[in-house]
Amino acid sequence: MIVVDTNVLAYLYLPGEHTQAAETLLAQDADWLAPVLWRSEFRNVLAGSLRRGWLTLAQASAIQREAQDLMHGHEHEIDSDQVLQLVQRSDCSAYDCEFVALAQQWGAPMVTMDSKILRAFPETARSLTSPLP
């Protein structure tokens, strides 16, 4: 079981530099968790791709459905107090701290490429390009 941030999901579904690493991670451990927030963040990533003309509306909708199918039953509400405590001890956004809080709640690693999260929470977060323990 691992917590993945929205960018890891985006790397899985939108071809790019880290797509292979995201696919490898999924093959190693398909039990991905995320706060419910991931849906809004993922839609925002798709919105950017739509606006740049990289995806059609039909493609973006299909990708959103596929990602939701992958994460179905693995989305969790996060305790606000825990998020705010993480915000207080870091310079990360509350959005980012939701993923960290979920990882800490489940005792699972969080996978990200966000350097700010990796620096602030080295005990919880690991890079997508690092091997799983």
Side-chain angles (χ1 to χ4, degrees):
M1 167 184 348
I2 53 175
V3 173
V4 294
D5 73 2
T6 304
N7 286 328
V8 173
L9 285 159
Y11 297 142
L12 182 65
Y13 290 102
L14 301 171
E17 176 184 1
H18 300 295
T19 299
Q20 182 61 51
E23 290 171 347
T24 299
L25 181 66
L26 184 63
Q28 290 174 334
D29 186 341
D31 191 7
W32 287 12
L33 305 178
V36 174
L37 168 71
W38 82 268
R39 287 181 179 226
S40 293
E41 288 189 335
F42 194 74
R43 282 189 292 263
N44 201 48
V45 170
L46 293 175
S49 293
L50 271 169
R51 288 187 181 113
R52 289 178 189 89
W54 298 342
L55 294 174
T56 66
L57 178 58
Q59 290 170 320
S61 294
I63 290 168
Q64 181 71 35
R65 282 191 302 276
E66 189 174 338
Q68 286 177 198
D69 288 346
L70 174 70
M71 297 305 294
H72 180 74
H74 300 274
E75 302 162 291
H76 301 275
E77 294 291 335
I78 308 303
D79 179 70
S80 294
D81 287 338
Q82 185 179 6
V83 171
L84 292 172
Q85 288 170 13
L86 294 170
V87 166
Q88 183 180 32
R89 66 175 256 222
S90 73
D91 61 346
C92 295
S93 71
Y95 302 119
D96 290 340
C97 288
E98 284 200 29
F99 293 90
V100 176
L102 181 62
Q104 291 178 351
Q105 177 184 330
W106 284 84
M110 178 197 170
V111 178
T112 184
M113 288 297 287
D114 187 308
S115 59
K116 192 183 284 189
I117 295 171
L118 291 167
R119 276 191 313 276
F121 301 104
E123 71 285 354
T124 303
R126 74 161 196 85
S127 172
L128 175 61
T129 58
S130 300
L132 279 175

